[in-house]
Amino acid sequence: WGADENLRTWKSEYAPAKAIIIHHTAGEEKTLIDQGEAMRNLYYGHAVGYGWGDIGYNYVIDVNGSIYEGRAGGGVIAGHTLGYNTGSIGIALIGDYNVRNVETVQYDALVDLVSYLSFKNRIDPQATVQLRDTTTLGVVGHRDLNATSCPGNTLYERVNDIRTKATIALTQYPAYTYGAQITSPPNSLT
């Protein structure tokens, strides 16, 4: 999407993910035709405008359903939910979902990404998890943790459906297996 890597100054830190937090960008309505431009504007606003040194979300989904890596580093602590960034993954949808509806392809991409990230990080979308001093579900909207209208009303009203669809999709992923191979000690140890 043409990120200017020279703007990226945020040092990467890592922590296991326990929850996925859904957001909207809320301010990209003027650039919805050119999604690459919307991503570059978002990146510049976060990295330079806010002084964060990178984009605040782990992933961003455009109105066409394309998924972008946000915060560089994969599995990295991002800056999307004040006080709850450690232990969470932030996914933002480009657009203001207080004034528009989520595009079907964008919604489907969100469900697919939530499903995949839940599998990869062993997050149960329906289970309760502890983030700092708050007990919350594995998949939530930003407003569940902070005083904000994010991710917008039309997206927030679908968060429970996203949780349910991701949980169903997880049944199609392979089961995690744990095992060890037991071998006999070498003859010299018997």
Side-chain angles (χ1 to χ4, degrees):
W1 51 269
D4 180 352
E5 296 295 328
N6 294 317
L7 302 177
R8 188 165 50 86
T9 59
W10 190 346
K11 185 179 175 185
S12 297
E13 296 179 65
Y14 298 86
K18 299 187 282 185
I20 297 170
I21 304 171
I22 299 171
H23 303 265
H24 69 160
T25 61
E28 311 306 318
E29 293 304 303
K30 295 178 191 141
T31 57
L32 284 178
I33 293 171
D34 182 347
Q35 297 298 284
E37 180 183 357
M39 279 298 297
R40 289 186 295 278
N41 289 344
L42 185 62
Y43 175 59
Y44 186 85
H46 285 198
V48 177
Y50 293 153
W52 294 350
D54 200 349
I55 196 166
Y57 309 110
N58 297 93
Y59 298 92
V60 179
I61 303 174
D62 72 20
V63 296
N64 300 312
S66 296
I67 300 170
Y68 302 86
E69 178 184 47
R71 175 85 163 89
V76 68
I77 299 170
H80 52 87
T81 306
L82 183 63
Y84 298 97
N85 295 308
T86 300
S88 69
I89 299 168
I91 303 172
L93 274 61
I94 293 177
D96 185 341
Y97 297 99
N98 281 315
V99 299
R100 64 180 286 127
N101 290 316
V102 179
E103 300 293 331
T104 300
V105 293
Q106 190 178 31
Y107 177 79
D108 291 345
L110 176 59
V111 170
D112 289 346
L113 183 58
V114 168
S115 302
Y116 169 73
L117 292 171
S118 295
F119 171 75
K120 180 180 175 191
N121 294 283
R122 299 181 186 197
I123 295 170
D124 180 342
Q126 308 274 3
T128 57
V129 298
Q130 193 73 26
L131 288 179
R132 277 188 41 188
D133 57 348
T134 302
T135 300
T136 190
L137 293 170
V139 175
V140 295
H142 184 186
R143 69 174 66 171
D144 291 317
L145 298 167
N146 291 142
T148 178
S149 66
C150 183
N153 294 332
T154 64
L155 179 54
Y156 185 74
E157 67 189 21
R158 299 181 79 180
V159 170
N160 192 49
D161 186 54
I162 293 164
R163 244 186 248 117
T164 300
K165 287 184 176 182
T167 300
I168 292 167
L170 284 172
T171 65
Q172 302 304 309
Y173 282 85
Y176 280 105
T177 57
Y178 302 92
Q181 181 177 3
I182 300 173
T183 60
S184 299
N187 289 337
S188 61
L189 297 176
T190 56

